Amino acid sequence: MTMKVTTATAHFLLVFLASTISHSVICSALGNETDQLSSLLEFKNAISLDPEQSLISWNSSNHLCSWEGVSCSSKNPPRVTAIDLVGLVGRISPSLGNLTFLRNLSLATNRFTGQIPASLGRLRRLRSLYLSNNTLQGTIPSFANCSELRALFLDGNELAGGLPGAGDLPVGIEALVLSSNRLAGTIPPSLGNVTTLRKLACMNNGVGGGIPGELAALRGMEVLAVDGNRLSGGFPVAVMNMSGLAVLGLSTNGFTGELPSGIGGFLPKLRQLTIGGNFFQGNIPSSLANASNLFKLGMSDNNFTGVVPASIGKLAKLTLLNLEMNQLHARSKQEWEFMDNLANCTELQVLSLEKNQMEGQVPSSLGNFSVQLQYLYLGLNRLSGSFPSGIANLPNLIILALDDNWFTGSVPQWLGGLKTLQSLTVSYNNFTGYVPSSLSNLSHLMELFLESNQFIGNIPPSLGNLQFLTTIDISNNNLHGSVPE
Ligand SMILES: *[C@@H]1O[C@H](CO)[C@@H](O)[C@H](O)[C@H]1NC(C)=O
Ligand SMILES: *[C@@H]1O[C@H](CO)[C@@H](O)[C@H](O)[C@H]1NC(C)=O
Ligand SMILES: *[C@@H]1O[C@H](CO)[C@@H](O)[C@H](O)[C@H]1NC(C)=O
Ligand SMILES: *[C@@H]1O[C@H](CO)[C@@H](O)[C@H](O)[C@H]1NC(C)=O
Ligand SMILES: *[C@@H]1O[C@H](CO)[C@@H](O)[C@H](O)[C@H]1NC(C)=O
Ligand SMILES: *[C@@H]1O[C@H](CO)[C@@H](O)[C@H](O)[C@H]1NC(C)=O
Ligand SMILES: *[C@@H]1O[C@H](CO)[C@@H](O)[C@H](O)[C@H]1NC(C)=O
Ligand SMILES: *[C@@H]1O[C@H](CO)[C@@H](O)[C@H](O)[C@H]1NC(C)=O
Ligand SMILES: *[C@@H]1O[C@H](CO)[C@@H](O)[C@H](O)[C@H]1NC(C)=O
Ligand SMILES: *[C@@H]1O[C@H](CO)[C@@H](O)[C@H](O)[C@H]1NC(C)=O
Ligand SMILES: *[C@@H]1O[C@H](CO)[C@@H](O)[C@H](O)[C@H]1NC(C)=O
Ligand SMILES: *[C@@H]1O[C@H](CO)[C@@H](O)[C@H](O)[C@H]1NC(C)=O
């Protein structure tokens, strides 16, 4: 074996086989320095494609500490402490497990296939591991010995098997992000022993069972996001002990039963609550108003009954309120009071009451709503009376849906003043009269649904000027004229 020894700097030596830039470089005299080099060259060797040329600097002209994506300590000898690379295709070489000084390993947003090497579990100085958004398969190896690990991001892969339990996680871990994989099984009760946990995200997997009561011990939890699984059982009582919780996502699962009436008092720091797409029933607790930081409240597609609590207007930071597809009702002025109070939510951008049992006239207080409102869905209720006049004061609406109600009278000319409107749906009502010509001022309009009303006369020819209009339905009316091209 012929070796060409290059004295690179006063501090260290790099040894390469002169004939090749392969990885088969070993010089035991150089100890860790050579180990690092061979580990990295093994890593490079497992890359099958490098379309962005991320590894072009990984050659013998440069010391490995100046290779792209590699960071070293400033100590002597320098140690590889961080690797951060994007754009690669291939497998993750187990040799990375030899880089024992590695603190941060970020290989998110590459196209790595194959398994997560179990050898990564030997990196006892590792603080963060980001493998998000690859196509990694197999099961999650044990990280129990990575005693410094705080953040483990494995989301957006094809990982199978179960969630790691306390026995496979280091004592101090704070963030465990496993969303968008193919994980199954149940949430291990032993996670209740991982009391440093602040963020557990396991959205969009196939996890079943309930949320174990043992998780009540996780007092420091800030984010619990398990949307899009097969979880079931009543509202998880363990959550009520997580008094610092800011994000709770339970949507699109099989949860049943009622929400705890005191939920807002137990979770005063809540910022996002998404529980849509379950089988929750009963009333919307008025205590939610005590969670004064709530800005996103999604409760759609459940079986909530009763009225929308008037206290909802105390949520001054609310930007999204989605109550669609429930059995909420409002019949009297008192039951509509929540609408008056929503005018206090000056950040509100999205409101959906679609597919409930709202009755009678839409309160004129709609006109006091935040001008921030962009999306208003009132369809599939039993709303009646004339076109809600308050809408005239909402100049930034992008989508307006009033379909499948009992509205009567004409569609007002002032609608043409809502210049940002992209979708207008008034179908399946009893609107009468002419289609207002002012609609041709809605220069961003893409969809116009007028079907199944009692409109008469001609379709305004000027609608033909709307260059983004792709869909228009005028069927089941008494309209004449051809649909503008
Ligand atoms: C690096 O060297 C140190 C001290 O000589 C040793 O303890 C350690 O095991 C070596 N690491 C590797 C990966 O060989
Ligand atoms: C070695 O890396 C440098 C960048 O550091 C690059 O300019 C050069 O083209 C590389 N050499 C080879 C042979 O890839
Ligand atoms: C590096 O890691 C690989 C795979 O874990 C192992 O087979 C190899 O012996 C290690 N090399 C050194 C120099 O430690
Ligand atoms: C390593 O990650 C931590 C957070 O996990 C960050 O504060 C630190 O700057 C990172 N260091 C390097 C070298 O990337
Ligand atoms: C992974 O992909 C998701 C969805 O595209 C994206 O929201 C997320 O920010 C990505 N994560 C990283 C670390 O790039
Ligand atoms: C963790 O370290 C212990 C003690 O060295 C060893 O017995 C065990 O196999 C290691 N576990 C893993 C998953 O590497
Ligand atoms: C938590 O740890 C203790 C002590 O190791 C153990 O007795 C208990 O069974 C663990 N709890 C769970 C839920 O695994
Ligand atoms: C949860 O909170 C309840 C009431 O505040 C308390 O009795 C219980 O001990 C707590 N559970 C855990 C596991 O901390
Ligand atoms: C919510 O706050 C009100 C006062 O604003 C208080 O009377 C009520 O008890 C609180 N509810 C809970 C569940 O903490
Ligand atoms: C919703 O509630 C109604 C009335 O309580 C009940 O008849 C219906 O079965 C419930 N639906 C579901 C899906 O739970
Ligand atoms: C909304 O604001 C008005 C005027 O500031 C106030 O009288 C009313 O109590 C508020 N409603 C709620 C629910 O906070
Ligand atoms: C809608 O108009 C039709 C035809 O005039 C009428 O029979 C029906 O009662 C009206 N419905 C409502 C809710 O006004």
Side-chain angles (χ1 to χ4, degrees), residues 187-200 212-222 224 238-239 241-245:
I187 299 176
S190 65
L191 282 180
N193 271 347
V194 188
T195 52
T196 47
L197 211 54
R198 287 192 288 163
K199 175 172 185 170
L200 174 60
E214 285 82 352
L215 268 53
L218 303 179
R219 296 302 180 83
M221 282 287 278
E222 291 165 12
L224 176 60
V239 164
N241 288 45
M242 301 174 182
S243 57
L245 208 61

Side-chain angles (χ1 to χ4, degrees), residues 37-282:
L37 181 59
S38 71
S39 296
L40 290 174
L41 290 174
E42 286 275 4
F43 173 80
K44 182 180 177 182
N45 205 38
I47 303 302
S48 52
L49 261 180
D50 179 11
E52 295 172 26
Q53 299 205 302
S54 302
L55 302 185
I56 194 164
S57 64
W58 288 41
N59 64 48
S60 53
S61 317
N62 310 308
H63 184 258
L64 60 88
C65 289
S66 55
W67 289 356
E68 183 173 332
V70 177
S71 306
C72 295
S73 63
S74 53
K75 296 208 181 75
N76 186 12
R79 314 288 195 180
V80 175
T81 55
I83 298 178
D84 184 357
L85 288 162
V86 291
L88 303 172
V89 184
R91 291 169 173 264
I92 301 177
S93 168
S95 69
L96 290 184
N98 295 343
L99 295 170
T100 53
F101 287 84
L102 210 50
R103 292 163 69 89
N104 294 16
L105 176 56
S106 178
L107 299 175
T109 324
N110 287 280
R111 275 185 282 157
F112 283 112
T113 54
Q115 306 215 350
I116 300 174
S119 62
L120 298 187
R122 299 203 309 249
L123 295 169
R124 60 197 165 82
R125 294 186 181 86
L126 198 64
R127 293 185 61 84
S128 60
L129 176 58
Y130 293 92
L131 299 178
S132 311
N133 297 341
N134 284 285
T135 43
L136 296 166
Q137 296 173 334
T139 56
I140 299 173
S142 173
F143 291 96
N145 286 346
C146 303
S147 53
E148 300 289 311
L149 192 64
R150 297 293 174 266
L152 180 57
F153 283 68
L154 305 179
D155 55 306
N157 282 290
E158 296 173 3
L159 298 169
L163 275 68
D168 290 323
L169 295 167
V171 164
I173 192 149
E174 294 171 2
L176 181 57
V177 177
L178 307 171
S179 300
S180 302
N181 278 291
R182 296 174 184 170
L183 299 172
T186 56
I187 299 176
S190 65
L191 282 180
N193 271 347
V194 188
T195 52
T196 47
L197 211 54
R198 287 192 288 163
K199 175 172 185 170
L200 174 60
C202 187
M203 303 190 290
N204 305 325
N205 279 289
V207 179
I211 292 186
E214 285 82 352
L215 268 53
L218 303 179
R219 296 302 180 83
M221 282 287 278
E222 291 165 12
V223 176
L224 176 60
V226 294
D227 312 71
N229 281 285
R230 296 177 192 152
L231 295 163
S232 57
F235 184 88
V237 286
V239 164
M240 304 297 274
N241 288 45
M242 301 174 182
S243 57
L245 208 61
V247 175
L248 177 58
L250 304 176
S251 67
T252 323
N253 279 290
F255 289 108
T256 52
E258 301 196 2
L259 300 186
S261 63
I263 183 171
F266 284 104
L267 304 177
K269 303 219 170 125
L270 214 50
R271 290 162 46 76
Q272 293 188 47
L273 177 63
T274 50
I275 60 172
N278 283 291
F279 304 105
F280 287 121
Q281 59 186 43

